[in-house]
Amino acid sequence: MPFENLVRDHTIYACVMGSRAFGLATDGSDTDRRGVFVAPTPLFWRFDKPPTHIEGPAEEQFSWELERFCELALRANPNILECLHSPLVEHVDATGRELLALRDAFLSRQVHETFTRYAFSQRKKLEVDIRTHGAPRWKHAMHLLRLLTSARDLLRTGTLRIDVGDQRAPLLAVKRGEVPWPEVESWMTRLATETDEAATRTRLPAEPDRRRVEDFLIGVRRASTDVLAG
């Protein structure tokens, strides 16, 4: 089966991510599409397994096979968790709705480590840019501030909200380079501190609900086999 057919015929969930989902789109923004497909169970019986992810077939499109997607979500991968909470859903079927109903099962205190670790690595890159070029990549600085805000609020409320809301204007000012780097750096430091404080009081469970997610995955695999047998 051609890889493109897996995306075309077996996608259960598709959404728009990036600046458009974050509420930070401008006239020149790309449309980043992300999705989840379910490879038919019989494909796993072969020596050559189906792909864990597929780029395309459209531009700026990337899809994960359901099992890989769930594995990454259980590890609190920021990009994957945000994909589950996109406000811009382009396609969802019955299985996709089951996946979305599991969003809370993926959330745990692990998000503190994964989100802040990613933020720390991005901040180091910005600091290298400043030493090398005299200025950071302002778009990356904007998204780092957005990510830290999202992580802080998730730990505070237990809900992952990716649209920046009323923070759109100040964040876009950072993207345009209108905010001096010391102010941006101070903003990042404050958000990191607030995120650490929120982690000490969060209502999120210590671990994700792996059993609940696994039961869902087994059910999907079994249903695919039953369809073939029927």
Side-chain angles (χ1 to χ4, degrees), residues 71-229:
E71 288 175 346
L72 292 171
L74 286 169
R75 297 177 195 168
N77 179 291
N79 292 325
I80 300 294
L81 292 181
E82 289 185 335
C83 185
L84 277 172
H85 292 78
S86 173
L88 303 178
V89 176
E90 293 192 318
H91 169 79
V92 61
D93 65 7
T95 305
R97 285 190 287 273
E98 289 184 59
L99 174 64
L100 292 180
L102 284 172
R103 285 184 291 200
D104 64 312
F106 294 108
L107 297 178
S108 71
R109 294 174 205 161
Q110 292 178 10
V111 301
H112 177 235
E113 178 185 356
T114 56
F115 277 64
T116 56
R117 184 174 65 229
Y118 180 74
F120 179 78
S121 68
Q122 293 304 302
R123 184 165 176 173
K124 287 296 184 184
K125 291 179 181 179
L126 293 173
E127 292 170 350
V128 170
D129 287 338
I130 292 171
R131 290 195 298 269
T132 305
H133 307 292
R137 289 170 289 178
W138 292 110
K139 179 179 178 180
H140 291 197
M142 175 191 71
H143 282 297
L144 175 51
L145 290 166
R146 181 206 62 78
L147 181 71
L148 284 169
T149 301
S150 181
R152 180 200 63 187
D153 293 347
L154 169 57
L155 289 163
R156 284 178 173 177
T157 67
T159 300
L160 180 55
R161 181 174 178 269
I162 68 172
D163 189 292
V164 300
D166 60 7
Q167 291 297 299
R168 172 181 166 84
L171 286 171
L172 287 178
V174 171
K175 180 183 179 182
R176 294 190 296 266
E178 297 172 356
V179 183
W181 172 247
E183 291 184 28
V184 174
E185 192 174 33
S186 177
W187 189 354
M188 290 176 180
T189 300
R190 174 174 57 81
L191 285 172
T193 299
E194 291 173 352
T195 300
D196 290 344
E197 292 172 350
T200 66
R201 299 189 295 270
T202 186
R203 295 173 295 175
L204 291 175
E207 302 288 339
D209 193 340
R210 184 180 179 88
R211 174 59 63 84
R212 187 177 160 202
V213 175
E214 189 172 56
D215 286 347
F216 162 69
L217 179 62
I218 291 171
V220 172
R221 297 288 191 232
R222 183 176 289 121
S224 177
T225 306
D226 292 344
V227 168
L228 178 69

